[in-house]
Protein backbone atom coordinates (compact mmCIF):
# COMPACT_ATOMS: atom_id res chain seq x y z
CA UNK A 1 0.00 0.00 0.00
CA UNK A 2 1.07 3.57 -0.76
CA UNK A 3 0.30 6.18 1.90
CA UNK A 4 -0.09 9.67 0.41
CA UNK A 5 0.67 12.30 3.05
CA UNK A 6 -0.70 15.85 2.88
CA UNK A 7 -1.00 18.75 5.30
CA UNK A 8 -3.88 21.21 5.04
CA UNK A 9 -3.98 24.73 6.50
CA UNK A 10 -6.98 26.85 5.45
CA UNK A 11 -6.53 26.73 1.65
CA UNK A 12 -9.47 24.56 0.55
CA UNK A 13 -9.11 25.09 -3.23
CA UNK A 14 -5.38 24.36 -3.28
CA UNK A 15 -5.69 21.21 -1.17
CA UNK A 16 -8.74 20.00 -3.11
CA UNK A 17 -6.93 20.43 -6.46
CA UNK A 18 -4.06 18.36 -5.08
CA UNK A 19 -6.43 15.62 -3.88
CA UNK A 20 -8.25 15.62 -7.23
CA UNK A 21 -4.96 15.19 -9.12
CA UNK A 22 -3.94 12.35 -6.80
CA UNK A 23 -7.25 10.54 -7.19
CA UNK A 24 -6.80 10.19 -10.97
CA UNK A 25 -3.66 8.12 -10.48
CA UNK A 26 -4.01 4.45 -11.35
CA UNK A 27 -1.84 2.98 -8.61
CA UNK A 28 -3.89 0.03 -7.37
CA UNK A 29 -3.39 0.32 -3.62
CA UNK A 30 -3.18 3.89 -2.34
CA UNK A 31 -4.66 5.82 0.56
CA UNK A 32 -4.59 9.57 1.15
CA UNK A 33 -3.83 10.73 4.72
CA UNK A 34 -4.51 14.39 5.40
CA UNK A 35 -3.61 16.30 8.55
CA UNK A 36 -5.90 19.28 9.06
CA UNK A 37 -3.48 21.55 10.86
CA UNK A 38 -5.79 23.69 13.02
CA UNK A 39 -7.31 25.87 10.31
CA UNK A 40 -9.25 28.89 11.53
CA UNK A 41 -11.87 28.62 8.78
CA UNK A 42 -14.34 25.96 7.63
CA UNK A 43 -12.10 24.55 4.90
CA UNK A 44 -11.47 21.35 6.88
CA UNK A 45 -15.19 20.63 7.06
CA UNK A 46 -15.53 21.21 3.31
CA UNK A 47 -12.63 18.81 2.63
CA UNK A 48 -14.08 16.22 4.99
CA UNK A 49 -17.50 16.33 3.33
CA UNK A 50 -16.13 16.32 -0.22
CA UNK A 51 -13.55 13.54 0.32
CA UNK A 52 -15.10 10.75 2.39
CA UNK A 53 -12.37 8.24 1.44
CA UNK A 54 -9.51 10.44 2.65
CA UNK A 55 -8.25 9.53 6.12
CA UNK A 56 -8.29 12.87 7.94
CA UNK A 57 -6.52 13.63 11.19
CA UNK A 58 -7.40 16.84 13.01
CA UNK A 59 -4.88 18.86 15.03
CA UNK A 60 -6.26 20.96 17.85
CA UNK A 61 -3.19 23.21 17.78
CA UNK A 62 -0.90 24.15 14.89
CA UNK A 63 1.90 21.61 14.48
CA UNK A 64 5.24 22.11 12.72
CA UNK A 65 5.72 20.91 9.15
CA UNK A 66 8.11 18.12 10.17
CA UNK A 67 6.08 17.01 13.15
CA UNK A 68 2.91 16.96 11.03
CA UNK A 69 4.45 14.69 8.40
CA UNK A 70 6.00 12.46 11.09
CA UNK A 71 2.54 12.04 12.63
CA UNK A 72 0.97 11.25 9.23
CA UNK A 73 3.74 8.80 8.35
CA UNK A 74 3.35 6.95 11.65
CA UNK A 75 -0.40 6.67 11.08
CA UNK A 76 0.01 5.49 7.47
CA UNK A 77 2.65 2.91 8.42
CA UNK A 78 0.47 1.54 11.24
CA UNK A 79 -2.31 1.33 8.65
CA UNK A 80 -0.14 -0.89 6.41
CA UNK A 81 1.59 1.52 4.01
CA UNK A 82 4.81 0.12 2.51
CA UNK A 83 5.65 3.35 0.67
CA UNK A 84 5.03 6.99 1.60
CA UNK A 85 4.38 9.81 -0.87
CA UNK A 86 5.25 13.03 0.96
CA UNK A 87 3.74 16.00 -0.85
CA UNK A 88 3.07 19.67 -0.35
CA UNK A 89 -0.65 20.38 -0.70
CA UNK A 90 0.04 22.82 -3.55
CA UNK A 91 1.64 20.11 -5.69
CA UNK A 92 -0.65 18.96 -8.47
CA UNK A 93 -0.67 17.87 -12.09
CA UNK A 94 0.23 14.29 -11.23
CA UNK A 95 0.22 11.94 -14.21
CA UNK A 96 -2.07 8.89 -13.94
CA UNK A 97 0.91 6.51 -13.69
CA UNK A 98 3.13 8.62 -11.43
CA UNK A 99 3.23 6.12 -8.56
CA UNK A 100 3.78 3.09 -10.77
CA UNK A 101 6.79 4.85 -12.30
CA UNK A 102 8.22 6.18 -9.03
CA UNK A 103 7.85 2.98 -7.03
CA UNK A 104 9.34 0.89 -9.85
CA UNK A 105 12.50 3.03 -9.62
CA UNK A 106 13.06 2.46 -5.90
CA UNK A 107 15.55 -0.26 -5.06
CA UNK A 108 18.31 -0.83 -2.52
CA UNK A 109 20.53 1.72 -4.23
CA UNK A 110 18.03 4.59 -4.37
CA UNK A 111 15.77 5.39 -1.47
CA UNK A 112 13.83 8.49 -2.54
CA UNK A 113 12.44 9.20 -5.99
CA UNK A 114 10.91 12.54 -6.94
CA UNK A 115 8.51 13.36 -9.80
CA UNK A 116 8.61 16.15 -12.34
CA UNK A 117 7.02 19.24 -10.74
CA UNK A 118 4.86 21.89 -12.47
CA UNK A 119 3.41 25.14 -11.17
CA UNK A 120 -0.28 26.08 -11.34
CA UNK A 121 0.09 27.25 -14.94
CA UNK A 122 1.70 23.92 -15.88
CA UNK A 123 5.15 25.47 -16.31
CA UNK A 124 7.94 23.03 -15.51
CA UNK A 125 9.55 23.96 -12.20
CA UNK A 126 11.91 21.02 -11.84
CA UNK A 127 12.61 17.71 -13.53
CA UNK A 128 13.75 14.45 -11.95
CA UNK A 129 17.47 14.94 -12.34
CA UNK A 130 19.61 17.96 -11.54
CA UNK A 131 23.21 18.20 -12.69
CA UNK A 132 25.59 19.72 -10.16
CA UNK A 133 29.37 19.59 -10.46
CA UNK A 134 29.04 16.92 -13.15
CA UNK A 135 26.99 14.58 -10.93
CA UNK A 136 23.30 13.89 -11.49
CA UNK A 137 21.06 13.55 -8.46
CA UNK A 138 17.42 13.98 -7.53
CA UNK A 139 16.69 16.62 -4.90
CA UNK A 140 13.23 15.93 -3.56
CA UNK A 141 11.47 19.02 -2.29
CA UNK A 142 7.88 19.30 -3.53
CA UNK A 143 6.91 15.64 -3.49
CA UNK A 144 8.63 12.27 -3.32
CA UNK A 145 8.17 8.58 -2.60
CA UNK A 146 10.18 6.85 0.14
CA UNK A 147 9.87 3.26 1.37
CA UNK A 148 8.16 3.18 4.79
CA UNK A 149 10.91 0.88 6.10
CA UNK A 150 13.55 3.45 5.18
CA UNK A 151 11.48 6.28 6.76
CA UNK A 152 11.37 4.27 10.00
CA UNK A 153 15.10 3.44 9.89
CA UNK A 154 16.04 7.14 9.77
CA UNK A 155 13.22 8.09 12.17
CA UNK A 156 11.42 10.40 9.73
CA UNK A 157 12.00 14.13 9.65
CA UNK A 158 14.26 15.82 12.17
CA UNK A 159 11.99 18.24 14.02
CA UNK A 160 14.87 20.68 14.47
CA UNK A 161 14.43 21.81 10.86
CA UNK A 162 10.71 22.63 11.23
CA UNK A 163 10.45 23.48 7.51
CA UNK A 164 13.07 23.97 4.78
CA UNK A 165 16.02 21.59 4.42
CA UNK A 166 14.15 18.78 6.21
CA UNK A 167 13.97 16.91 2.90
CA UNK A 168 17.69 17.37 2.24
CA UNK A 169 18.47 16.12 5.76
CA UNK A 170 16.22 13.09 5.18
CA UNK A 171 17.87 12.38 1.83
CA UNK A 172 21.36 12.59 3.35
CA UNK A 173 20.49 10.26 6.21
Amino acid sequence: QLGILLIHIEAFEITQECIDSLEITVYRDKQIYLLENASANLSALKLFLRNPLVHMLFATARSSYCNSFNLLADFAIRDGSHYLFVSNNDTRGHSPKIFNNLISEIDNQFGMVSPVIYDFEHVLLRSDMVTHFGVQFSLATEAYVIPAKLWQEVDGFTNAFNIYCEDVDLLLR
Side-chain angles (χ1 to χ4, degrees):
Q1 178 174 319
L2 171 69
I4 300 168
L5 313 181
L6 301 171
I7 300 171
H8 170 73
I9 303 174
E10 300 179 4
F12 169 78
E13 291 80 13
I14 290 172
T15 303
Q16 187 60 57
E17 285 180 19
C18 182
I19 291 170
D20 290 344
S21 74
L22 290 164
E23 287 181 339
I24 66 161
T25 61
V26 294
Y27 193 74
R28 59 179 163 61
D29 193 10
K30 66 179 186 271
Q31 179 60 56
I32 299 173
Y33 298 89
L34 176 71
L35 176 70
E36 200 305 298
N37 204 355
S39 295
N41 60 22
L42 294 176
S43 59
L45 179 60
K46 288 170 49 176
L47 286 169
F48 180 75
L49 293 173
R50 185 157 174 198
N51 303 285
L53 299 178
V54 171
H55 287 287
M56 289 185 70
L57 287 76
F58 294 86
T60 56
R62 188 70 44 92
S63 181
S64 74
Y65 185 85
C66 292
N67 191 51
S68 296
F69 274 115
N70 286 338
L71 178 69
L72 283 169
D74 289 346
F75 192 82
I77 292 167
R78 280 195 311 269
D79 203 27
S81 293
H82 297 285
Y83 297 96
L84 303 172
F85 181 67
V86 180
S87 179
N88 292 339
N89 71 327
D90 59 353
T91 302
R92 65 181 179 94
H94 303 99
S95 69
K97 293 188 177 182
I98 185 173
F99 300 123
N100 303 64
N101 297 337
L102 291 175
I103 290 174
S104 70
E105 293 182 35
I106 294 179
D107 60 28
N108 293 331
Q109 300 297 315
F110 201 70
M112 296 169 67
V113 182
S114 183
V116 175
I117 302 296
Y118 297 89
D119 71 8
F120 284 104
E121 280 130 21
H122 299 285
V123 175
L124 180 66
L125 292 178
R126 191 188 62 70
S127 63
D128 286 343
M129 300 301 281
V130 177
T131 301
H132 187 66
F133 299 115
V135 177
Q136 285 193 333
F137 64 95
S138 179
L139 183 59
T141 56
E142 297 87 359
Y144 46 90
V145 171
I146 182 170
K149 181 180 175 184
L150 184 59
W151 178 276
Q152 289 177 306
E153 285 177 17
V154 298
D155 202 25
F157 284 136
T158 303
N159 285 322
F161 285 100
N162 186 26
I163 189 169
Y164 304 118
C165 296
E166 78 290 338
D167 45 7
V168 176
D169 173 67
L170 185 67
L171 184 62
L172 291 173
R173 290 185 284 128

